[in-house]
Amino acid sequence: EAGAPVTAPYKKGDYRFAREKNCDLRLLDFETFGGFGRGVRKILRQAADQLSNKLSHAQHLDEVTWTTKNWHGLQMQRLSVVLHTAVAWQTVNELACGESGIVHGAECIAVLNGVA
């Protein structure tokens, strides 16, 4: 069922340190084209509520764009940028030729455009 919670079986040794420290471990779903799973949206909403959905003075000075008006919007935007950057790097690395598998600069653009 779409949107249904997914649980993975516990395997001995997985995240052992975090489990020993009683950390809250959750599987979060991020879609390749920017969608956030229910768990991500819930955590962000809870965090925004804790902060009254207000930005700090430092965030106003250093991080806010004309499209962000509150803490929740800023975090959604930041997560989206990180997600898309990671997907772009993974795509470039998969398409790259050469021993290292990593390309940079103009070659990176050429690979993304299919001309390298």
Side-chain angles (χ1 to χ4, degrees), residues 6-8 11 25 28 44 48 50-52 54 56-57 66 68 84-87 90 100-101 108 110 116:
V6 177
T7 58
K11 294 181 182 177
L25 299 172
L28 300 175
L44 286 173
Q50 285 288 318
L51 297 168
S52 300
K54 294 185 189 269
S56 70
H57 182 68
W66 65 273
T68 54
H84 285 92
T85 301
V87 169
Q90 185 65 35
S100 71
C108 173

Side-chain angles (χ1 to χ4, degrees), residues 56-68:
S56 70
H57 182 68
Q59 288 171 321
H60 273 291
L61 294 176
D62 297 331
E63 300 180 49
V64 173
T65 68
W66 65 273
T67 61
T68 54

Side-chain angles (χ1 to χ4, degrees), residues 36-50:
F36 298 151
R38 182 181 298 152
V40 176
R41 294 190 314 268
K42 182 178 177 182
I43 288 171
L44 286 173
R45 179 52 49 205
Q46 289 171 339
D49 290 346
Q50 285 288 318

Side-chain angles (χ1 to χ4, degrees), residues 32-112:
T32 305
F33 292 103
F36 298 151
R38 182 181 298 152
V40 176
R41 294 190 314 268
K42 182 178 177 182
I43 288 171
L44 286 173
R45 179 52 49 205
Q46 289 171 339
D49 290 346
Q50 285 288 318
L51 297 168
S52 300
N53 205 21
K54 294 185 189 269
L55 296 163
S56 70
H57 182 68
Q59 288 171 321
H60 273 291
L61 294 176
D62 297 331
E63 300 180 49
V64 173
T65 68
W66 65 273
T67 61
T68 54
K69 298 180 182 186
N70 55 45
W71 186 90
H72 187 261
L74 176 63
Q75 300 315 313
M76 294 286 282
Q77 191 175 71
R78 291 176 73 196
L79 281 170
S80 181
V81 168
V82 169
L83 174 66
H84 285 92
T85 301
V87 169
W89 270 109
Q90 185 65 35
T91 302
V92 167
N93 289 334
E94 291 297 324
L95 296 174
C97 297
E99 292 180 27
S100 71
I102 298 176
V103 294
H104 299 282
E107 186 180 357
C108 173
I109 301 300
V111 169
L112 284 173

